[in-house]
Amino acid sequence: MAEHNEDSEQEIYLHGDIEIKIVEARNLPDLDLVLQNVGLRFFSICTRCTNMFEPDAYVAIQVPGATVARTRVISNSKNPTWNQQLRFALAHPLANLELQVKDDDPFGAKIIGRTLIPARQIASGDPISGWFPVIGPNQKPPKEDTAIRLEMKFTPAELNPLYRSGIAGDPEESGVRNTYFPLRKGGALTLYQDAHVPNGLLPEIELEDGKVFEHGKCWEDLCHAICEAHHLVYVVGWSIYVKIRLVREPTRPLPRGGDLTLGELLKYKSEEGVRVLMLVWDDKTSHDKFFIKTSNSKAPRQPWHDLHCKIEGPAAHDVLLNFEQRWKKATKWSRYKLCFQDNASHWHRDALLKIERISWILTPPVTVMKDGKTTSIPKDDSRLYVSSEDDPENWHIQIFRSIDSGALRGFPKSFELADRLNLAFTKNLVIDKSIQTAYIQAIRSAQRFVYIENQYFLGSSYGWPSYKDAGADNLIPMELALKIASKIRAKENFSVYIVIPMWPEGDPKSASVQEILYWQSQTMEMMYRIVARELRSMKLFDSHPTDYLNFYCLGNREELPPEMLHEADQPSAEANSKSVSDPEKFQRFMIYIHAKGMIIDDEYIILGSANINQRSMAGTKDTEIAMGAYQPHYTWTRRKKHPYGQIYGYRMSLWAEHLGNIDKWFNNPESLECVKAVNDVAEDNWRRFTAENFTPLMGHILKYPLKVDADGKIGPWPGLENFPDVGGKVIGAQSITLPDTLTT
């Protein structure tokens, strides 16, 4: 799509997929001048060292506010040849696509020159190829005939057949394209909301063919799985609290060891001979003393809401492979050390269990490539299927990651192999950011609605109203806004529902939380402005941006016990050191959204560990894993009507929990009637949540407390500039002390 941007006569939105082959450059200048200027001139120029000051060249592809791709570095060459194919998505307003030719100097990369490709020429979709001049800072080539040769092809998102029928309806059944792990068929998937859902708590959700959605018991199933393990239990997580008991309200008899704490249970299984390995995240930027300051105010306990799943079948082997790759990297130096210890057992030297040697366990043939180090990804193998492709409850599942070669062992060293494995090969890293790829392709393929629950929601900072250089350049918020805009132009119903915490974890008055809230409000306003602009363009003056896009949070309010009510009404309460705090007095609290999931059209789902922020989506920061899945027998394409499979049941179950009932409109989330029904409940709940006197809420959903005007501008509601009881600006505030990389 090439959409005109009213803010500039030159800029247009480039929204689609681009492939660029950076072939070669010629006649680059010597640029290692820093070394020459610090005393190296005394070296005689001889045949042996004439290339000492030749550039270590690479190419960075720039859009305003972001670098979208890089080539590898070619050392000591004035005429470097890359022959490197780069593929990436664009959802950016720009006048030109900028290719920067750089010298990778030890003192910092220096720009040799730039090549500008007009956005309007790219948007035509016609192939672009040839030699293009490299222009230096003085608007002239650094040397005579300095140029770069490239080949380029852009496919607008709206014209890409890949996005016309949805990922679940893809006739080729290839899942998300250009990812490290392929789509796996013949799987089984169990979807959970929260750690435990007591029987009878939620209403019955009817599916097709007389079936009913079953509310799973996540921790209870997890306890049984650990107890019944025969060979291995591998655990990886951000936080593992070993003193917790997984089952507190059993719905079936506990297995032997099921009453133990998690730590005791894992020790018990290890003593049985089961291989138990644990990888625990240790990122200093996320520890309390470095980043998040939690509130100490006396208040009701804050519940958490989360999304989980259980994967069975071929995709589970990809999850295992991810663990093994990460384990080998994390234990690299320990293994080297043990090699020099004569008394070190074989178990310590090779803790990973070689399950391929266990004859009764079917495993895919995981091998290494010719370089002897790169992991070869096995093809789909029907021997591993746990459900038949003819089974209506069959699942197709695909694993995605955000990770780079610094966090695992098994990525290739050459760009040719990286390209074959759909990995990005940059200056000094090999990167897998297939989680972001999955979100982008799923959103572009959406035909009716998108439902998101996520702990954070910020990105596309290049489009923010202010401070466009925050570096939060993931495309997800922009993709959602442009999807809505395209549906407005097509005169089709489309809705986006996004549920986030009222504020991120921590004290809402702290600098870190306030800055995250500021980035979040910048993201919201960018999206709403794009929607509002499209409504004006289509002369839909009676429509409002919130007819298409809405943000929510979750909360609860409980009636104050009589004894506390009496204490709260005492006139001297403020002076009393034992006085009741506002959170305690009003008994209101947010329900913290820790979930990371997205549902598309009731037929495709993504769940995992990745937040919608730069840390989770970049691939070079936090390490994340996710899965995307669908039931091939429950798609719009196959059914020719609304599919009422497990994904539909899961969304309806979540909505029943959040909204307190099941409305007839909930079957059609894309309709304006459904949007208004959800907003009516959420807005009424917010009024009840903030009222002086207690009245019960309907469910837990609250409209996020920011007003949106017809032009897409957002701001706090009058009198509600700060969060109730706990303080902190709802719209947030930028910090002048915290590095952006910590909060984006």
Side-chain angles (χ1 to χ4, degrees):
M1 179 194 75
E3 176 193 333
H4 182 64
N5 181 359
E6 291 181 4
D7 296 335
S8 170
E9 288 299 317
Q10 295 180 331
E11 286 189 346
I12 61 171
Y13 274 97
L14 279 185
H15 184 211
D17 299 292
I18 195 165
E19 291 193 24
I20 300 180
K21 184 176 184 180
I22 307 296
V23 183
E24 58 183 323
R26 68 187 180 202
N27 210 24
L28 300 182
D30 296 333
L31 275 192
D32 282 326
L33 298 178
V34 174
L35 291 178
Q36 294 184 42
N37 291 334
V38 294
L40 295 183
R41 292 181 181 272
F42 66 87
F43 280 111
S44 61
I45 304 301
C46 60
T47 304
R48 186 167 51 88
C49 58
T50 53
N51 67 343
M52 174 178 288
F53 300 120
E54 291 182 356
D56 302 326
Y58 70 97
V59 178
I61 301 177
Q62 301 279 134
V63 295
T67 299
V68 292
R70 291 183 178 91
T71 67
R72 70 193 192 283
V73 175
I74 302 295
S75 299
N76 298 323
S77 177
K78 296 180 182 179
N79 302 289
T81 298
W82 291 279
N83 276 324
Q84 188 167 347
Q85 194 84 23
L86 303 172
R87 290 184 296 269
F88 52 91
L90 283 175
H92 299 78
L94 66 158
N96 299 287
L97 187 67
E98 181 176 316
L99 283 74
Q100 295 183 352
V101 182
K102 291 187 170 184
D103 177 30
D104 187 35
D105 190 270
F107 296 93
K110 296 184 290 295
I111 296 177
I112 296 173
R114 297 175 171 86
T115 294
L116 302 180
I117 311 295
R120 293 189 183 277
Q121 182 182 358
I122 297 171
S124 70
D126 296 331
I128 298 171
S129 64
W131 285 95
F132 295 84
V134 175
I135 305 301
N138 61 355
Q139 303 305 311
K140 296 180 180 179
K143 293 177 68 176
E144 185 179 353
D145 204 29
T146 299
I148 184 172
R149 184 158 72 96
L150 58 89
E151 300 169 3
M152 181 187 305
K153 180 71 170 68
F154 174 73
T155 305
E158 290 183 354
L159 300 180
N160 194 331
L162 181 64
Y163 306 134
R164 290 178 183 169
S165 55
I167 294 174
D170 177 13
E172 297 182 15
E173 296 186 335
S174 297
V176 176
R177 311 299 175 90
N178 302 319
T179 61
Y180 185 75
F181 291 113
L183 182 75
R184 305 298 190 186
K185 300 178 181 180
L189 185 70
T190 306
L191 299 170
Y192 304 99
Q193 62 193 91
D194 303 311
H196 182 76
V197 178
N199 292 331
L201 179 68
L202 296 174
E204 191 174 89
I205 310 294
E206 295 182 2
L207 310 179
E208 286 194 25
D209 303 324
K211 297 175 182 175
V212 175
F213 180 77
E214 295 184 10
H215 305 287
K217 310 292 190 291
C218 180
W219 279 14
E220 192 169 4
D221 286 357
L222 180 60
C223 178
H224 279 258
I226 295 174
C227 290
E228 295 163 8
H230 293 291
H231 301 288
L232 63 88
V233 175
Y234 293 170
V235 184
V236 58
W238 175 79
S239 176
I240 300 172
Y241 184 61
V242 295
K243 296 181 180 181
I244 199 165
R245 279 184 168 81
L246 294 176
V247 182
R248 284 165 281 181
E249 299 177 15
T251 61
R252 58 189 191 269
L254 286 176
R256 187 172 60 182
D259 58 340
L260 300 173
T261 66
L262 177 60
E264 292 168 343
L265 178 56
L266 293 174
K267 181 181 178 182
Y268 174 72
K269 295 304 293 184
S270 178
E271 291 170 346
E272 280 189 348
V274 174
R275 190 65 52 86
V276 177
L277 304 179
M278 300 176 69
L279 271 175
V280 183
W281 196 39
D282 186 25
D283 182 351
K284 300 299 184 188
T285 64
S286 292
H287 290 182
D288 181 84
K289 65 180 180 179
F290 284 94
F291 186 32
I292 295 174
K293 299 295 183 183
T294 56
S295 175
N296 293 319
S297 63
K298 188 176 182 181
R301 185 183 68 84
Q302 181 188 97
W304 281 35
H305 168 71
D306 223 326
L307 305 177
H308 315 274
C309 68
K310 176 176 68 175
I311 298 171
E312 300 172 80
H317 289 278
D318 292 336
V319 177
L320 173 62
L321 178 59
N322 171 71
F323 182 92
E324 291 176 338
Q325 288 179 328
R326 293 193 59 197
W327 180 268
K328 290 174 182 177
K329 184 71 173 185
T331 60
K332 175 182 177 180
W333 297 111
S334 298
R335 286 184 288 110
Y336 284 160
K337 181 179 178 181
L338 288 168
C339 287
F340 296 98
Q341 296 180 6
D342 294 334
N343 61 345
S345 68
H346 178 72
W347 186 93
H348 283 100
R349 290 181 179 174
D350 193 7
L352 290 170
L353 194 67
K354 291 181 169 57
I355 62 171
E356 67 274 9
R357 296 179 180 176
I358 303 174
S359 60
W360 54 89
I361 297 180
L362 289 175
T363 58
V366 178
T367 58
V368 295
M369 294 185 174
K370 292 181 179 180
D371 62 0
K373 296 180 180 179
T374 303
T375 305
S376 176
I377 303 303
K379 296 181 179 179
D380 203 38
D381 187 345
S382 60
R383 296 179 307 118
L384 306 177
Y385 290 4
V386 296
S387 64
S388 165
E389 286 295 286
D390 296 329
D391 183 352
E393 297 306 310
N394 175 48
W395 284 87
H396 291 179
I397 307 169
Q398 191 172 8
I399 302 302
F400 313 116
R401 294 188 294 187
S402 291
I403 199 166
D404 63 40
S405 50
L408 59 73
R409 182 182 176 191
F411 274 0
K413 301 292 185 181
S414 72
F415 81 93
E416 293 93 350
L417 285 179
D419 187 60
R420 282 172 53 189
L421 294 172
N422 297 307
L423 300 169
F425 195 99
T426 64
K427 287 199 305 179
N428 52 14
L429 281 178
V430 180
I431 304 167
D432 180 354
K433 53 178 182 178
S434 52
I435 295 179
Q436 185 175 174
T437 300
Y439 269 88
I440 291 170
Q441 291 189 24
I443 292 167
R444 290 182 177 182
S445 301
Q447 303 300 316
R448 293 163 182 84
F449 76 93
V450 176
Y451 175 66
I452 290 174
E453 293 187 7
N454 207 282
Q455 182 183 8
Y456 295 92
F457 189 85
L458 60 94
S460 309
S461 57
Y462 53 83
W464 288 354
S466 59
Y467 202 74
K468 298 178 184 293
D469 297 325
D473 53 16
N474 78 79
L475 303 189
I476 296 168
M478 182 65 80
E479 290 287 351
L480 289 165
L482 294 181
K483 167 58 74 171
I484 295 172
S486 71
K487 290 296 185 178
I488 292 172
R489 284 194 301 276
K491 300 180 181 179
E492 297 176 5
N493 288 339
F494 194 86
S495 303
V496 175
Y497 306 83
I498 301 172
V499 185
I500 55 178
M502 197 176 297
W503 64 83
E505 184 183 5
D507 185 344
K509 300 183 295 296
S510 67
S512 59
V513 173
Q514 279 291 293
E515 183 159 83
I516 294 171
L517 288 166
Y518 179 71
W519 303 144
Q520 183 174 280
S521 64
Q522 287 280 299
T523 302
M524 292 179 182
E525 183 160 325
M526 173 204 70
M527 296 173 70
Y528 277 123
R529 284 189 177 189
I530 291 172
V531 176
R533 186 168 62 238
E534 199 60 50
L535 290 173
R536 290 198 307 269
S537 175
M538 296 297 293
K539 304 188 186 317
L540 298 173
F541 302 117
D542 293 332
S543 296
H544 193 275
T546 55
D547 292 343
Y548 299 86
L549 171 65
N550 286 279
F551 290 85
Y552 308 93
C553 53
L554 300 181
N556 199 13
R557 190 166 183 183
E558 299 171 347
E559 193 167 12
L560 197 67
E563 63 275 9
M564 293 180 64
L565 184 64
H566 175 74
E567 183 181 354
D569 287 339
Q570 297 300 312
S572 60
E574 290 187 8
N576 191 336
S577 61
K578 297 183 180 179
S579 65
V580 178
S581 66
D582 280 350
E584 194 175 12
K585 173 183 176 181
F586 293 110
Q587 288 289 295
R588 56 191 174 199
F589 48 90
M590 76 161 164
I591 297 173
Y592 191 72
I593 300 292
H594 193 251
K596 292 100 175 165
M598 179 171 72
I599 293 174
I600 302 287
D601 296 341
D602 279 342
E603 67 175 8
Y604 188 76
I605 186 168
I606 295 175
L607 289 183
S609 68
N611 298 308
I612 297 180
N613 61 6
Q614 195 61 18
R615 290 172 64 93
S616 285
M617 292 295 169
T620 55
K621 299 177 183 288
D622 291 351
T623 298
E624 311 285 6
I625 191 167
M627 72 91 207
Y630 66 92
Q631 292 183 285
H633 290 267
Y634 293 98
T635 68
W636 284 88
T637 300
R638 184 156 184 163
R639 293 282 174 173
K640 308 299 181 187
K641 63 177 183 178
H642 196 136
Y644 294 103
Q646 294 295 319
I647 297 175
Y648 160 80
Y650 190 53
R651 179 193 53 89
M652 288 292 283
S653 181
L654 290 167
W655 282 30
E657 177 187 349
H658 299 338
L659 289 149
N661 71 340
I662 297 178
D663 191 286
K664 63 179 181 179
W665 297 115
F666 295 176
N667 283 334
N668 300 292
E670 69 273 22
S671 69
L672 183 58
E673 292 83 357
C674 183
V675 173
K676 290 185 179 298
V678 173
N679 284 346
D680 285 346
V681 175
E683 289 166 3
D684 183 61
N685 276 347
W686 181 258
R687 286 189 290 269
R688 294 167 183 256
F689 185 79
T690 55
E692 183 77 14
N693 297 318
F694 168 81
T695 53
L697 308 183
M698 179 179 285
H700 303 295
I701 197 163
L702 308 171
K703 196 74 167 70
Y704 198 82
L706 288 172
K707 66 176 182 178
V708 183
D709 68 19
D711 294 325
K713 296 180 181 178
I714 69 171
W717 287 102
L720 288 171
E721 291 81 6
N722 299 311
F723 291 109
D725 306 332
V726 295
K729 294 179 181 178
V730 176
I731 205 164
Q734 188 176 354
S735 170
I736 60 173
T737 58
L738 288 173
D740 294 345
T741 188
L742 283 180
T743 54
T744 55

